[in-house]
Amino acid sequence: MREVRGSIPRISILSIRTETKNTMSASKTLRKLEVVSPVPADIDIANLVEPFHIAEIAKELNLSPNHYDLYGKYKAKVLLSVIDELEGSGDGYYVVVGGITPTPLGEGKSTTTVGLCQALGAFLDKKVVTCLRQPSQGPTFGIKGGAAGGGYSQVIPMDEFNLHLTGDIHAITAANNLLAAAIDTRIFHESTQSDKALLNRLCPPNKEGKRSFCDIMFRRLKKLGISKTKPEELTPEEVKKFARLDIDPDSITWRRVMDVNDRFLRKITIGQGPEEKGMLRETGFDISVASEIMAVLALTTSLADMRERLGKMVIGNSRAGDPVTADDLGLGGALTVLMKDAINPTLMQTLEGTPVLVHAGPFANIAHGNSSIVADKIALKLVGPGGFVVTEAGFGSDIGTEKFMNIKCRYSGLTPQCAVIVATIRALKMHGGGPEVVAGKPLDRAYTTENVSLVEAGCVNLARHISNTKAYGVNVVVAVNMFATDSEAELNAVRNAALAAGAYDAVVCTHHAHGGKGAVDLGIAVQKACENVSQQLKFLYSLDISIKEKIEAIARSYGASGVEFSEQAEKQIEMYSRQGFSSLPICMAKTQYSFSHQASEKGAPTGFVLPIRDVRASIGAGFIYPLVGTMSTMPGLPTRPCFYDIDLDTATGKVIGLS
């Protein structure tokens, strides 16, 4: 949240801490903050705080220098070997933060996630790690701005968090585009060479004049059912099957990526150079975080698992209708090499000195919108029994939390004890029938003056999010992210509605204005919810039912009465089922602004028929994603992007204007 939160008294964090039990002795990295009102811009707050050296944060987590690689003074890559070393130790409590259906302004999930962790670590004397996604530079320079939290609940250094960080997104971009280049190059060479010539070039003679298969080629041979170990042993039919992928250009789903919002690259024509012999093809660019490689990074559980997932990524089909993978192109190993450092999560810190693991940043529409499994696993071991790991799920809980439970938790084997749902009076008023909320335009008076009936009407949205999330077997705590214009009567209405809908607790929070102190009550509620959970994790659907049945189960959770599949969707479902992919979980690509497919449908709509326009697959990542409506995977820049405000103070070297 980046709005000024009204008039709040100047409060010294030092004086607050002396009123609590002596937590300062428990950690050397708890930072003394002093908050002011009105709340300054996020970057101004971040620039006023000198971060601790990251080695000090690591030491608080009992990490030795052998457990991480330094990336400057304030960032470090935590090595996966930590998981193996702590294999026998217990896990901490696992908490996911989702939200109600948001306005275009966002309701403060990241800010709440950070504020909750600052409360747990700096005020409640708990060992805690925050796990967040790495933001894309597209929104940072576009219209949304950064994603480090806001106000006095932020990850720092804020500029490094929102920009290059440790280069993970750049590694994904390089790997993705290497694969894209390999696809078109393979089509080109197959079009100009015989089967025998292809084999001879794929398996060139060594110094002794002997030809051999390289290691990755045995993966393709095994896939084809060929057990021969020498190229000269292949029959002419086997040579053709092995050497000629025969990719159908119309089936290619793999696109190039870049981490910039550039609407003019959404659709391009390639192959126009004279050397390409007229091999024109229409394709396009996605933003880097929409790459399947990003989704793979987030869902992988080990280096070996990442190697297998990258190799299994399907880029299209052969003309015979068989899936063509990165390993078929000989690229799985090279992709893993490009990603070998990116698999390690990045250690950072909050404004109040609590540790943060930043890792992966998959799109929350076409992918699962959650940070990585490996970061969560490392964090749970580091905090140990009684500690807390808090992670955020993208968009409303109908998208982010649903995918967290049904996709991420399936692959990780981890079980959350508590789910936080972030709500604002502003969003509830919108769902109760309030005027349209538009980013960049002043709020209507309905949102800045008391209107309890509008809030109560909008609580139907909150109630459905609560009931859906409770169905997974976790305790639900509602965090009401308070604004200065919210009245006590409105806040009480939300709390009453949340408890009536089955929430374990509902707490008003002021962490944007007060940092961890403003989320202490939320921290206490989350602790109690974790300690008193009574059920095991329940999934929304079983993996052994059909693709259609899984889609229908998710649609029912939205409030739909049925699902309508287009002819294209039916065709794709049949193909994926025939290819053996029907046992994968489902990752719905749907608007975040409504339970339904229509962004204008607020509240908790029911009885609608959910249209499935198309169905696609991320086989390496491990999910099928149905498209509900049109999903843009390359955002565009607005007339007045955020980059107008971003500059460098050349005297101090500080970034200014980053929001």
Side-chain angles (χ1 to χ4, degrees):
M1 306 302 300
R2 294 168 190 85
E3 299 84 349
V4 174
R5 295 300 182 89
S7 179
I8 299 169
R10 187 181 180 93
I11 299 173
S12 166
I13 296 295
L14 177 60
S15 65
I16 292 168
R17 287 203 175 119
T18 59
E19 293 168 7
T20 64
K21 70 176 183 176
N22 185 17
T23 62
M24 295 300 289
S25 61
S27 170
K28 295 179 181 178
T29 62
L30 293 185
R31 184 176 290 106
K32 302 174 184 178
L33 288 179
E34 191 169 274
V35 305
V36 298
S37 177
V39 179
D42 294 349
I43 188 66
D44 294 336
I45 294 172
N47 281 342
L48 285 172
V49 175
E50 179 67 25
F52 293 109
H53 194 288
I54 200 63
E56 296 183 55
I57 303 294
K59 187 176 181 181
E60 290 290 316
L61 289 171
N62 295 320
L63 291 169
S64 76
N66 294 329
H67 293 139
Y68 58 86
D69 292 331
L70 290 172
Y71 280 65
K73 294 189 293 184
Y74 307 129
K75 306 184 299 291
K77 282 281 195 177
V78 179
L79 306 180
L80 297 193
S81 57
V82 173
I83 298 177
D84 297 329
E85 289 189 27
L86 298 176
E87 185 178 4
S89 59
D91 288 349
Y93 293 119
Y94 195 26
V95 180
V96 60
V97 178
I100 63 171
T101 307
T103 70
L105 303 177
E107 310 319 307
K109 286 197 314 302
S110 299
T111 307
T112 302
T113 302
V114 175
L116 168 59
C117 291
Q118 290 182 167
L120 287 166
F123 291 92
L124 297 175
D125 201 18
K126 301 298 178 184
K127 208 162 187 179
V128 63
V129 174
T130 314
C131 290
L132 294 175
R133 291 182 293 169
Q134 179 185 350
S136 165
Q137 290 180 174
T140 297
F141 289 114
I143 193 168
K144 290 180 67 177
Y152 289 99
S153 295
Q154 290 189 60
V155 180
I156 56 172
M158 183 259 221
D159 56 333
E160 296 182 27
F161 178 89
N162 284 306
L163 299 176
H164 302 288
L165 199 61
T166 47
D168 293 357
I169 293 180
H170 302 322
I172 288 163
T173 302
N176 183 101
N177 292 343
L178 176 61
L179 180 50
I183 294 166
D184 291 298
T185 299
R186 186 59 174 263
I187 295 173
F188 171 80
H189 287 304
E190 287 190 17
S191 72
T192 59
Q193 299 178 48
S194 67
D195 298 341
K196 184 177 180 180
L198 280 170
L199 178 67
N200 288 341
R201 286 180 170 85
L202 288 169
C203 303
N206 59 20
K207 292 179 180 179
E208 288 76 36
K210 295 182 179 180
R211 300 182 186 274
S212 62
F213 296 118
C214 64
D215 288 346
I216 198 169
M217 291 178 177
F218 287 104
R219 292 174 180 254
R220 176 158 177 79
L221 291 167
K222 183 178 180 181
K223 175 181 175 180
L224 296 172
I226 299 173
S227 58
K228 296 172 182 176
T229 59
K230 298 179 181 179
E232 60 267 23
E233 295 175 345
L234 300 184
T235 66
E237 182 183 11
E238 290 171 337
V239 169
K240 183 174 184 177
K241 287 173 63 178
F242 168 75
R244 194 168 294 280
L245 301 183
D246 198 25
I247 298 169
D248 179 359
D250 293 335
S251 75
I252 296 172
T253 55
W254 198 266
R255 290 155 59 95
R256 288 156 174 83
V257 300
M258 63 189 305
D259 198 31
V260 173
N261 288 0
D262 192 343
R263 67 176 72 243
F264 290 97
L265 292 178
R266 289 171 179 168
K267 188 174 183 180
I268 63 170
T269 302
I270 60 173
Q272 298 189 70
E275 298 83 3
E276 278 61 68
K277 298 179 173 59
M279 291 188 60
L280 298 179
R281 183 170 73 85
E282 283 191 351
T283 181
F285 275 76
D286 296 329
I287 198 161
S288 295
V289 292
S291 170
E292 183 177 350
I293 296 176
M294 176 63 88
V296 166
L297 177 64
L299 290 174
T300 196
T301 55
S302 67
L303 190 60
D305 179 63
M306 184 174 73
R307 169 62 185 87
E308 294 304 310
R309 287 177 181 270
L310 290 173
K312 289 193 299 185
M313 293 187 304
V314 173
I315 58 89
N317 298 322
S318 69
R319 295 182 192 275
D322 298 319
V324 178
T325 68
D327 270 346
D328 289 328
L329 285 155
L331 210 59
L335 297 179
T336 308
V337 169
L338 287 172
M339 294 293 294
K340 69 181 180 63
D341 295 321
I343 196 173
N344 299 313
T346 301
L347 180 64
M348 297 188 75
Q349 62 192 281
T350 67
L351 283 169
E352 298 191 61
T354 59
V356 181
L357 286 177
V358 185
H359 203 211
F363 236 45
N365 288 109
I366 64 164
H368 55 94
N370 283 265
S371 61
S372 77
I373 286 173
V374 293
D376 291 358
K377 285 195 167 188
I378 290 171
L380 285 165
K381 295 298 183 187
L382 291 177
V383 299
F388 291 83
V389 171
V390 183
T391 188
E392 176 195 352
F395 293 146
S397 64
D398 57 318
I399 297 180
T401 304
E402 184 270 310
K403 295 174 182 179
F404 171 86
M405 300 291 185
N406 291 305
I407 299 175
K408 185 176 179 180
C409 288
R410 281 187 200 271
Y411 285 123
S412 70
L414 300 174
T415 300
Q417 288 78 38
C418 175
V420 175
I421 297 177
V422 180
T424 62
I425 298 296
R426 175 179 65 198
L428 292 170
K429 285 182 175 179
M430 179 190 71
H431 288 295
E436 186 179 6
V437 176
V438 180
K441 291 186 178 181
L443 286 171
D444 188 275
R445 190 170 181 272
Y447 295 104
T448 57
T449 57
E450 182 176 285
N451 191 326
V452 176
S453 60
L454 204 58
V455 173
E456 289 175 336
C459 281
V460 294
N461 183 271
L462 173 61
R464 182 175 293 173
H465 283 292
I466 292 170
S467 61
N468 282 359
T469 306
K470 276 191 67 181
Y472 295 109
V474 298
N475 282 332
V476 174
V477 174
V478 173
V480 186
N481 190 13
M482 180 182 173
F483 289 78
T485 53
D486 299 341
S487 74
E488 186 176 352
E490 290 172 330
L491 296 168
N492 285 336
V494 178
R495 174 174 168 78
N496 292 337
L499 295 176
Y504 183 86
D505 204 347
V507 181
V508 176
C509 309
T510 60
H511 44 276
H512 181 275
H514 297 141
K517 176 181 181 290
V520 168
D521 288 344
L522 176 62
I524 293 170
V526 166
Q527 179 181 347
K528 290 180 179 178
C530 288
E531 291 171 345
N532 291 286
V533 69
S534 58
Q535 300 185 60
Q536 293 296 314
L537 178 62
K538 303 174 187 175
F539 297 120
L540 184 59
Y541 52 82
S542 169
L543 291 182
D544 57 12
I545 62 176
S546 70
I547 292 174
K548 279 190 174 182
E549 289 173 315
K550 294 171 193 170
I551 294 171
E552 288 163 353
I554 297 172
R556 285 193 296 273
S557 76
Y558 298 155
S561 59
V563 178
E564 181 180 75
F565 296 92
S566 71
E567 183 178 342
Q568 173 66 13
E570 294 273 9
K571 177 183 174 183
Q572 292 297 104
I573 289 171
E574 188 279 328
M575 181 185 71
Y576 292 136
S577 299
R578 175 173 50 82
Q579 292 176 341
F581 302 138
S582 60
S583 63
L584 294 176
I586 300 297
C587 186
M588 297 287 273
K590 178 185 77 71
T591 178
Q592 68 269 34
Y593 294 123
S594 174
F595 274 111
S596 78
H597 56 289
Q598 299 282 359
S600 59
E601 292 291 321
K602 305 304 181 185
T606 57
F608 57 91
V609 175
L610 193 74
I612 305 298
R613 178 176 62 85
D614 198 359
V615 178
R616 299 177 187 171
S618 292
I619 302 304
F623 54 75
I624 303 289
Y625 63 99
L627 300 178
V628 185
T630 302
M631 291 289 122
S632 175
T633 52
M634 171 56 84
L637 290 171
T639 305
R640 208 281 192 182
C642 292
F643 61 62
Y644 271 84
D645 300 313
I646 299 172
D647 210 329
L648 192 72
D649 184 330
T650 55
T652 64
K654 297 280 189 180
V655 173
I656 56 176
L658 190 64
S659 61

